[in-house]
Amino acid sequence: MTIKDQPDTLLRHRPFVLFWLARFAVTASYQMLIVAVAWQLYALTGDPFDLGLIGLIQFIPAMLLFLVVGHVTDRYQRRLVLLSCQIIEGVAAATLLVAVIAGATSRELILCVAFILGIARAFEVTAMQIMVPGLVPLPLVPRAVAGSATANQAAVITGPALGGFLYAAGPTVVYGVCLVLFAAAALLTLMIRMERSALSREPMTLATFFAGFAFIRRNPVVFGVISLDLFVVLLGGVTALLPVFARDVFAAGPWALGLLRAAPGVGALTMALVLTRWPIEYKAGKMMFAAVAGYGLSTALFALSNNFIIALASLAALGASDMVSVVIRMTLVQLGTPDEVRGRVTAVNGLFIGASNQLGEFRAGAMASLIGAVPAVLVGSVGTLIITLIWTRLFPPLWHADRMDEERA
């Protein structure tokens, strides 16, 4: 068999390989940064409400800018948008590094940096998602979505764990490594050349400004998957409370926080590798609802666990369930959306993701300050299961969705 006759793979497409490496570098750096910032802020104030406040402050830019994000990523080169975000994140890491060296770290400075990171991430998350279909031929897009997820989850594993262990040597070490990784990501992004890209040339009107909302409203499958993720993670997210579990429930240090933050990534990466090799071909809707239910059950098990090993296993199962949902959702959204409006649709999706993550962290922190961390997580897990049941009734087309490539625009 000649090279030409061999089956096409993701590794044969240089733009995707460069993108994979850049996504790993920038996500690992961001995860390290968040672990260090969360531990440093909790050490300063000792208030779990502040941990939730980090999530809320990062969500505010995403909420205010999501329409701008959609238009920018549809009208301008997505590679340059991504590069700009990585530079801003590098500046944020450098600011924290200088502040620690100068002894000027404060609650207010940390929250300001979180706001800047929120601005960069608002554009970065959307740009990374919509770049994937332009990096490989269309038949490889479902595998590319799963492959891109492996980069994200590998970084989610290594980033928090490395950040937690490096923090033992001091926050300057963590922030310095983050700065280097952001620079490496920017260099890799500069080298990417898109295989396929169609920028929007529509005039700026009110209709085009809200085209993302209009498209989602007309498509019950896309609307169903986006809104389900919003409410499930809003209720079931546990990330913001992991410093509380590490220090107060398990009586451990930052190394334990790093492991807890990394555990969902272990499960997610394992599942992403499985889906890259054996993608979901049938009963996509039912598989997604089953995965979301597994997410809720894993969250409940974590809340009820008094053993550190069982807690890690629960978080790993949570990550694996979430990865199935993520791959199905992102494939349905990307393949089901025309390229000329993909940025605006993905920006709306990004707003929902931001709401579920950042507002979910705020919900968890605020509830934990009132009733305690363990009850807050347990209540959220029950809410997740209830939402899953309701959505099977509200969105029958999503429940009956079979092959993901049938939704191709």
Side-chain angles (χ1 to χ4, degrees):
M1 179 182 293
T2 65
I3 295 179
K4 184 177 180 180
D5 295 329
Q6 292 177 358
D8 200 4
T9 66
L10 296 175
L11 294 178
R12 295 177 65 180
H13 296 273
R14 186 171 183 266
F16 178 81
V17 174
L18 293 172
F19 172 83
W20 194 99
L21 293 172
R23 182 167 190 182
F24 174 81
V26 75
T27 305
S29 184
Y30 175 76
Q31 292 293 325
M32 291 171 61
L33 205 62
I34 291 301
V35 166
V37 163
W39 191 268
Q40 194 170 28
L41 182 61
Y42 194 52
L44 282 172
T45 68
D47 189 351
F49 180 82
D50 286 333
L51 298 176
L53 198 58
I54 292 177
L56 178 63
I57 285 178
Q58 288 192 33
F59 172 69
I60 290 174
M63 179 181 64
L64 297 177
L65 297 174
F66 77 98
L67 290 175
V68 177
V69 169
H71 273 277
V72 168
T73 51
D74 274 339
R75 300 179 71 89
Y76 300 99
Q77 290 190 37
R78 292 149 184 175
R79 178 177 64 93
L80 297 182
V81 173
L82 184 58
L83 176 64
S84 300
C85 295
Q86 293 160 351
I87 292 173
I88 292 172
E89 289 167 328
V91 171
T95 300
L96 291 170
L97 176 61
V98 172
V100 173
I101 294 174
T105 303
S106 66
R107 175 179 181 270
E108 290 71 24
L109 175 65
I110 290 175
L111 294 178
C112 285
V113 170
F115 184 80
I116 294 172
L117 287 173
I119 295 175
R121 293 288 291 178
F123 288 89
E124 183 177 65
V125 170
T126 297
M128 285 194 296
Q129 290 176 11
I130 62 179
M131 279 180 67
V132 173
L135 298 170
V136 296
L138 284 175
L140 285 181
V141 170
R143 291 178 184 265
V145 171
S148 176
T150 64
N152 182 74
Q153 294 306 322
V156 168
I157 294 171
T158 58
L162 184 59
F165 281 108
L166 289 179
Y167 195 92
T172 55
V173 177
V174 181
Y175 297 143
V177 172
C178 288
L179 182 58
V180 172
L181 287 176
F182 282 132
L187 180 60
L188 289 165
T189 301
L190 271 176
M191 299 167 62
I192 295 174
R193 294 295 179 267
M194 303 291 288
E195 291 195 3
R196 184 179 59 260
S197 181
L199 300 180
S200 174
R201 302 303 179 191
E202 295 178 275
M204 294 285 288
T205 65
L206 197 61
T208 59
F209 208 58
F210 290 94
F213 281 109
F215 178 85
I216 292 172
R217 182 173 54 84
R218 295 193 306 267
N219 192 313
V221 172
V222 174
F223 186 30
V225 295
I226 290 176
S227 58
L228 177 64
D229 179 73
L230 166 66
F231 287 102
V232 164
V233 183
L234 176 65
L235 294 172
V238 301
T239 304
L241 298 179
L242 292 182
V244 181
F245 276 83
R247 196 180 81 168
D248 299 339
V249 176
F250 299 114
W255 63 269
L257 173 60
L259 291 178
L260 290 173
R261 285 292 298 263
V266 173
L269 176 60
T270 303
M271 183 57 67
L273 291 172
V274 170
L275 295 176
T276 302
R277 178 63 180 85
W278 295 287
I280 296 171
E281 297 182 352
Y282 303 101
K283 298 183 178 179
K286 292 181 177 62
M287 289 286 290
M288 194 189 71
F289 280 112
V292 173
Y295 179 93
L297 292 173
S298 299
T299 304
L301 180 60
F302 171 74
L304 297 172
S305 172
N306 291 320
N307 181 277
F308 188 70
I309 300 301
I310 295 177
L312 291 177
S314 302
L315 290 174
L318 179 151
S321 300
D322 186 51
M323 178 51 57
V324 175
S325 174
V326 166
V327 169
I328 294 174
R329 183 182 77 249
M330 295 310 301
T331 303
L332 288 174
V333 171
Q334 296 302 317
L335 288 183
T337 306
D339 192 64
E340 61 270 16
V341 296
R342 188 171 287 140
R344 279 161 285 180
V345 171
T346 306
V348 176
N349 185 30
L351 176 68
F352 281 31
I353 292 173
S356 62
N357 289 324
Q358 274 77 52
L359 286 182
E361 291 180 6
F362 179 71
R363 189 277 315 166
M367 186 174 288
S369 67
L370 294 174
I371 64 175
V374 173
V377 174
L378 189 58
V379 168
S381 67
V382 174
T384 294
L385 296 173
I386 293 174
I387 287 294
T388 303
L389 291 175
I390 293 174
W391 253 240
T392 61
R393 303 299 183 186
L394 289 180
F395 296 94
L398 177 57
W399 171 259
H400 294 292
D402 190 22
R403 293 179 57 87
M404 289 187 286
D405 55 9
E406 291 176 351
E407 305 296 329
R408 181 176 299 173

